[in-house]
Amino acid sequence: MTDSTQTNLTQQQVRERIEQRLASRHRKEKLFRGLGIASIAFGVLAVVVLFTDIIGKGSGAFVQSAIELRVHYDQQVLGIDEVDDESLAWANFTGVIRESLRERFPEVSGRGEKRELYSLVSTGAPFTLRDRLRANPELLGKTETLWLAADDDVDTFVKSLSDTEEGFRGRTSEQKAGWIQQLLGSGEMKKRFNSTFFTNGDSREPEQAGIRAALMGSLFTLLVTLALSFPIGVAAAIYLEEYAPKNRWTDLIEVNINNLAAVPSIVFGLLGLAIFINFFELPRSAPLVGGLVLTLMTLPTIIISSRAALKAVPPSIREAAMGMGASRMQVVFHHVLPLAMPGMLTGAIIGMAQALGETAPLLMIGMVAFIVDVPGGVTDPATVLPVQIFLWADSPERAFVERTSAAIMVLLSFLIVMNTSAVLLRKKLERRW
Amino acid sequence: MQTPTLFALLLLLVLVAYGTGFSRALAAARSRGGMRNLSSLPSYYGLHTALWCGLPALLLLGAWLAFDDAIIRALVMNGIADKPDTIAGQNLLYAQIQNLAAGHLFGDASPQVQAAAERLSSLQSGSRNLQAALSLILASGLGAFAALRFSPELRAREKVEKVLRGVLITCACAAIFTTVGILLSVLFESLRFFQSVPVTEFLFGLHWSPQMALRADQVGSSGAFGAVPLFTGTLMVSAIAMFVAVPVGLMSAIYLAEYASKRVRAIAKPIIEILAGVPTVVYGFFAALTVAPFIRDLANSVGLQASSESALAAGLVMGIMIIPFISSLSDDVINAVPQSLRDGSLGLGSTRSETVRKVVIPAALPGIVGGVLLAVSRAIGETMIVVMAAGLAANLTANPLESVTTVTVQIVTLLVGDQEFDSPKTLAAFALGLMLFVSTLVLNFIALHVVKKYREQYD
């Protein structure tokens, strides 16, 4: 039937049909291609939005509003006669700051208003004065002009002024906003580089909070991870690639490694909690335990990349060394390993970058505690940068959003440096045989 | 003696042993008229002695450090006449004893506790001294033994290589130890959990509220452990993620592999792969502070009710995270499809998109399916994004604008903070962990199997 109808068509009709069909096929081709371009664009857009969002939110945290105050180190207000450790510990620096604030705004009276006034300056400012006096004992009884960090509400208000005319007032009263405007107008309040962010540990007060403790915690954790996972991973790769006979046991190990690479990281946290903390009773929150857990987590990555590096060394190298009478161990350690090292190092850096960004398993082993002190060793309680980000992201203060984003920027820049160096290392040292 | 000092001393002994072995070998070579009369190179004799000296002592020290606390605790607790019956009570008592022994606790401790604390500190110092003495004696004794046994005929290289090979095998088995460790830790705690909560209730119960009553007569905290809301929540978030990631990832892989010029590929591929390197906590922050409010406002503006923590926000951001995973895996398999298949199809007059849809994708399908399965297992196990953006309420709902909770979120909330290891609340986290481990393991196993089978076809 169909055949006969088709043969009845004139050549002209056939041609028209084919052209129609061809046009629709070409439309589909274009659509398909457009979908491909749209997908790529979506991916690139996601990267751009993510980064601009983080940078837009976080760049403010690198500056911090400060107030210029004439501070008089009055012995009477301080309640001390001389400068030593004991007297500094209980000297009334808060009183000194309040004194100079009252001096700056003499018109303020009444309890409520005064409390408003005092809250212009960070609650950490007395410690700044204490450190200053400890460093320069001759200042006692003298007056100096000093920049002191402003409270986080003030800081948020000042920073929002550049976005809108009104600014985000939040908890700041109209009167306080007026003082701030007055200080800004006379140049007694300025945004200055926020060095506190890089020198302090965590704090409940946003203007006092910094990432130093978290950075040191990350450093110690990564050191433990690197010290364990690189040698173990390389040794495992050497055995599997150069020695292992092809049998069931080796197959089992291989399947295991591939599976471990895809096990969710939080499960490693459960392992760490049950075995390292409950069974071996290692200290909680310690970089040592964090490093052990991350070692187990990064080991598959390092083993897989080290094996690839070993595989890339051509067999002729091994055969030549064997021919010269080297033992198998000597072949591996004197010839194959040095040639495979760049590839292994690249894998190790990528594994470390993975470990640096990991959060979930560390929550399980208690590295989520509120820790102010900078850790000094692998058994001190510590937190790490990603966990610090998690903790700050949960804090209600608006100023913490800014600091969270800034901490993310620091974390991302570390990751970018690590990944770029891995790529460069591969490019520079890689040998094509 | 402090442990670091002990390690330093041991290291020194090992170095001395190496030096002795090395110099004895050199001396022997000199007296015999050349290196070729030795069985091995001098450095192997050095290593041989050093291994004898260091390895047994280190193994002893490691075992000691791992088990001394538990043994001391057992000894101290056995010495106490009237112990509390519960594990929690015993833990409390032991913590008190420890604090007293460390000098953190002053004031009124019962004479029994004081005696136990004294016993604890004497045992601790005794253990430290014994450990130092034993390991140093072992190291120097075995080192001296190996040095005395030296002879030029000793096949030092072979012995050293045998030990090294043993070390390599142990390291290769680390993966097995890890798997066994995970299984044991999750399995034991889960079994304890299933003693108090029946398996059927856990797997099929519709109500999740893990708060346990502190007092017997407390109202409202019955402790319900029906995990179905968690499973559905996990599935919903993962499904949303895959709904975003699979089409976008697959289409970008196809475009990059089949259409893009070399230059576009060289720029676009690394940019998309940046997404894979961003830590999950950053995605969580992005989801909670940017995407979730955006979705809430959008839904409210068209008259829909949306909570500020929604499954949609978490799923969407998780999908973005998974895009590079799917695109690079699919890119690999698409590139592995032989060019001859494409040439054949193009030669028959099909367009490029027809070639892709009817020839390349069917040929690459097993690999793509494997990649998608791996991505699903990653979505199920993803923690930080859902912890920060999906919420805690265990809602049994199909509305993606409501907040849901997932298996991983509950593990985190149950285990962060103080834990008691005899309450079902803590143990429930391990049961959830077991579910997570088993389901991802099965998914990975199938995925790896599919991928492997496919690869064998074209190699």
Side-chain angles (χ1 to χ4, degrees):
Chain A
M1 270 296 273
T2 24
D3 278 350
S4 63
T5 44
Q6 263 179 9
T7 44
N8 287 341
L9 296 171
T10 59
Q11 222 176 349
Q12 180 66 31
Q13 278 172 318
V14 170
R15 204 175 170 152
E16 263 174 25
R17 283 205 173 181
I18 288 179
E19 262 164 17
Q20 269 174 6
R21 175 117 181 78
L22 202 60
S24 106
R25 283 171 68 198
H26 282 164
R27 266 203 307 283
K28 274 189 190 155
E29 168 76 28
K30 261 193 189 149
L31 186 72
F32 194 73
R33 210 187 159 115
L35 279 178
I37 294 178
S39 306
I40 302 263
F42 182 82
V44 174
L45 186 75
V47 176
V48 173
V49 169
L50 184 68
F51 275 75
T52 44
D53 185 53
I54 302 277
I55 293 174
K57 278 191 182 131
S59 51
F62 295 109
V63 288
Q64 158 78 36
S65 306
I67 301 175
E68 191 179 34
L69 278 182
R70 276 178 62 76
V71 181
H72 179 48
Y73 296 94
D74 192 339
Q75 278 112 321
Q76 263 178 355
V77 180
L78 285 171
I80 58 173
D81 300 325
E82 52 183 346
V83 177
D84 55 41
D85 281 349
E86 201 193 334
S87 64
L88 280 175
W90 52 272
N92 182 12
F93 289 104
T94 316
V96 171
I97 291 172
R98 290 183 172 175
E99 186 78 15
S100 32
L101 276 170
R102 279 200 299 272
E103 207 173 290
R104 174 65 186 77
F105 293 98
E107 71 277 10
V108 175
S109 62
R111 259 180 108 88
E113 273 189 30
K114 274 187 186 162
R115 196 178 305 136
E116 282 280 294
L117 180 65
Y118 299 154
S119 70
L120 279 176
V121 177
S122 159
T123 46
F127 301 106
T128 318
L129 289 194
R130 188 191 66 195
D131 293 344
R132 217 167 141 69
L133 197 57
R134 178 177 292 152
N136 314 292
E138 72 278 1
L139 280 174
L140 190 65
K142 298 207 178 97
T143 304
E144 68 167 341
T145 311
L146 208 60
W147 284 95
L148 290 172
D151 189 63
D152 64 300
D153 285 336
V154 177
D155 190 39
T156 310
F157 174 63
V158 171
K159 280 172 186 165
S160 65
L161 281 176
S162 53
D163 300 336
T164 53
E165 194 70 10
E166 269 290 287
F168 172 83
R169 282 243 305 278
R171 287 183 291 187
T172 314
S173 70
E174 200 154 332
Q175 190 180 24
K176 199 163 155 190
W179 294 331
I180 295 169
Q181 295 281 19
Q182 195 183 330
L183 285 171
L184 281 171
S186 64
E188 281 164 283
M189 184 180 273
K190 257 199 294 197
K191 285 186 272 185
R192 312 169 83 223
F193 178 69
N194 184 5
S195 58
T196 318
F197 185 67
F198 295 98
T199 54
N200 268 28
D202 195 7
S203 168
R204 294 279 186 235
E205 300 294 327
E207 74 273 9
Q208 295 288 313
I211 54 169
R212 173 124 180 269
L215 270 183
M216 291 309 285
S218 275
L219 179 72
F220 284 126
T221 311
L222 277 195
L223 279 181
V224 174
T225 311
L226 186 65
L228 289 171
S229 68
F230 189 57
I232 296 180
V234 168
I238 290 177
Y239 179 74
L240 291 173
E241 204 55 45
E242 305 282 331
Y243 284 95
K246 254 286 177 223
N247 59 19
R248 281 203 170 168
W249 184 243
T250 318
D251 276 352
L252 182 69
I253 294 180
E254 288 212 46
V255 169
N256 239 304
I257 290 171
N258 287 333
N259 267 326
L260 277 182
V263 164
S265 58
I266 192 167
V267 174
F268 289 97
L270 289 175
L271 165 89
L273 177 62
I275 296 204
F276 296 134
I277 291 186
N278 280 344
F279 188 71
F280 286 117
E281 306 206 335
L282 291 173
R284 252 168 193 284
S285 315
L288 177 67
V289 183
L292 282 171
V293 169
L294 292 180
T295 300
L296 298 183
M297 203 195 79
T298 49
L299 210 48
T301 318
I302 294 186
I303 294 179
I304 291 170
S305 64
S306 302
R307 286 189 69 175
L310 285 172
K311 220 178 254 171
V313 177
S316 56
I317 303 271
R318 296 184 184 85
E319 283 153 14
M322 298 257 206
M324 296 301 288
S327 74
R328 220 156 154 192
M329 201 60 84
Q330 287 168 331
V331 171
V332 172
F333 282 94
H334 297 175
H335 301 280
V336 179
L337 199 56
L339 290 171
M341 209 29 111
M344 291 178 165
L345 284 177
T346 317
I349 295 176
I350 288 169
M352 287 305 111
Q354 189 190 342
L356 177 61
E358 197 54 67
T359 322
L362 302 179
L363 299 182
M364 304 281 95
I365 55 161
M367 291 190 94
V368 66
F370 174 71
I371 288 154
V372 179
D373 294 329
V374 177
V378 291
T379 49
D380 289 352
T383 186
V384 294
L385 203 46
V387 177
Q388 186 72 74
I389 290 168
F390 171 64
L391 287 171
W392 282 351
D394 256 4
S395 304
E397 283 93 344
R398 214 179 129 100
F400 265 127
V401 172
E402 195 176 86
R403 276 166 178 73
T404 314
S405 309
I408 289 178
M409 282 159 76
V410 173
L411 177 64
L412 284 179
S413 42
F414 271 107
L415 288 176
I416 290 172
V417 167
M418 285 168 90
N419 284 314
T420 326
S421 63
V423 170
L424 289 181
L425 192 73
R426 188 182 318 173
K427 267 203 184 133
K428 195 160 164 90
L429 298 177
E430 191 181 47
R431 265 168 96 166
R432 292 233 168 258
W433 303 92
Chain B
M1 192 183 293
Q2 291 300 309
T3 319
T5 357
L6 184 57
F7 271 108
L9 267 178
L10 272 181
L11 189 70
L12 196 73
L13 271 180
V14 168
L15 283 178
V16 169
Y18 180 86
T20 321
F22 192 83
S23 56
R24 290 204 68 164
L26 274 187
R30 221 172 288 130
S31 68
R32 290 188 157 214
M35 210 73 95
R36 66 176 176 282
N37 294 316
L38 290 178
S39 160
S40 310
L41 288 171
S43 62
Y44 284 102
Y45 287 100
L47 277 176
H48 182 244
T49 337
L51 280 176
W52 267 101
C53 169
L55 205 57
L58 274 182
L59 286 179
L60 175 84
L61 204 58
W64 199 296
L65 286 176
F67 295 108
D68 64 341
D69 284 339
I71 293 173
I72 289 177
R73 179 181 166 145
L75 285 177
V76 170
M77 292 307 273
N78 279 340
I80 295 175
D82 48 329
K83 275 179 291 206
D85 297 329
T86 58
I87 298 176
Q90 287 189 5
N91 284 343
L92 196 67
L93 181 65
Y94 191 63
Q96 199 184 355
I97 296 172
Q98 274 180 319
N99 280 331
L100 194 66
H104 296 322
L105 197 72
F106 301 99
D108 52 338
S110 69
Q112 189 190 352
V113 172
Q114 263 170 0
E118 269 164 35
R119 198 168 141 73
L120 176 67
S121 45
S122 78
L123 274 174
Q124 273 175 340
S125 66
S127 153
R128 261 203 297 277
N129 290 338
L130 196 63
Q131 146 198 333
L134 271 184
S135 51
L136 287 178
I137 289 173
L138 195 67
S140 43
L142 287 178
F145 168 72
L148 285 179
R149 242 180 42 149
F150 168 83
S151 83
E153 280 79 38
L154 181 76
R155 296 187 167 271
R157 198 201 75 223
E158 280 166 31
K159 294 194 179 215
V160 169
E161 288 186 351
K162 223 178 209 166
V163 174
L164 271 183
R165 202 183 154 125
V167 173
L168 292 184
I169 293 181
T170 319
C171 290
C173 290
I176 305 248
F177 297 146
T178 312
T179 311
V180 172
I182 289 176
L183 262 182
L184 286 186
S185 55
V186 205
L187 209 59
F188 272 116
E189 310 290 354
S190 306
L191 285 180
R192 280 172 65 194
F193 172 71
F194 289 132
Q195 276 166 6
S196 52
V197 177
V199 184
T200 45
E201 193 201 317
F202 177 71
L203 285 181
F204 303 112
L206 298 181
H207 189 58
W208 176 266
S209 133
Q211 294 308 319
M212 290 301 283
L214 293 171
R215 302 185 311 273
D217 55 343
Q218 200 169 335
V219 187
S221 319
S222 53
F225 292 97
V228 170
L230 311 190
F231 298 149
T232 55
T234 310
L235 286 181
M236 180 152 80
V237 175
S238 311
I240 296 171
M242 298 319 285
F243 197 73
V244 175
V246 172
V248 176
L250 195 56
M251 279 313 291
S252 30
I254 290 173
Y255 186 81
L256 287 177
E258 302 285 332
Y259 287 97
S261 65
K262 254 194 176 155
R263 248 186 71 197
V264 172
R265 194 181 152 86
I267 298 170
K269 201 170 149 74
I271 291 183
I272 289 181
E273 272 168 12
I274 289 178
L275 288 174
V278 175
T280 53
V281 68
V282 177
Y283 281 115
F285 178 73
F286 182 62
L289 266 89
T290 307
V291 179
F294 177 73
I295 287 178
R296 187 193 54 208
D297 295 345
L298 198 69
N300 289 345
S301 68
V302 296
L304 287 170
Q305 277 292 321
S307 72
S308 55
E309 292 178 321
S310 61
L312 190 60
L316 208 62
V317 173
M318 197 191 282
I320 292 177
M321 181 192 87
I322 293 176
I323 290 172
F325 195 73
I326 291 195
S327 83
S328 63
L329 276 177
S330 318
D331 197 33
D332 287 349
V333 282
I334 289 174
N335 280 325
V337 172
Q339 186 61 30
S340 57
L341 291 183
R342 288 188 193 91
D343 293 345
S345 167
L346 291 171
L348 286 172
S350 51
T351 61
R352 270 162 109 175
S353 66
E354 283 162 352
T355 308
V356 169
R357 273 181 293 152
K358 306 223 164 100
V359 177
V360 177
I361 296 293
L365 200 59
I368 293 174
V369 170
V372 170
L373 285 180
L374 281 180
V376 171
S377 97
R378 172 167 282 211
I380 289 177
E382 170 47 43
T383 311
M384 292 322 291
I385 296 177
V386 278
V387 166
M388 294 168 87
L392 296 173
N395 289 331
L396 190 58
T397 172
N399 178 2
L401 294 174
E402 263 182 70
S403 90
V404 295
T405 192
T406 70
V407 174
T408 47
V409 173
Q410 288 303 318
I411 295 179
V412 169
T413 42
L414 291 176
L415 285 185
V416 168
D418 293 329
Q419 304 130 9
E420 295 173 74
F421 267 80
D422 46 2
S423 101
K425 188 184 156 193
T426 307
L427 296 176
F430 285 88
L432 290 174
L434 181 67
M435 298 302 300
L436 191 65
F437 183 63
V438 170
S439 53
T440 50
L441 201 67
V442 169
L443 274 174
N444 296 341
F445 195 76
I446 299 173
L448 290 174
H449 192 72
V450 170
V451 172
K452 203 173 165 191
K453 205 164 178 187
Y454 164 73
R455 274 202 189 126
E456 280 161 11
Q457 277 183 354
Y458 289 116
D459 268 354

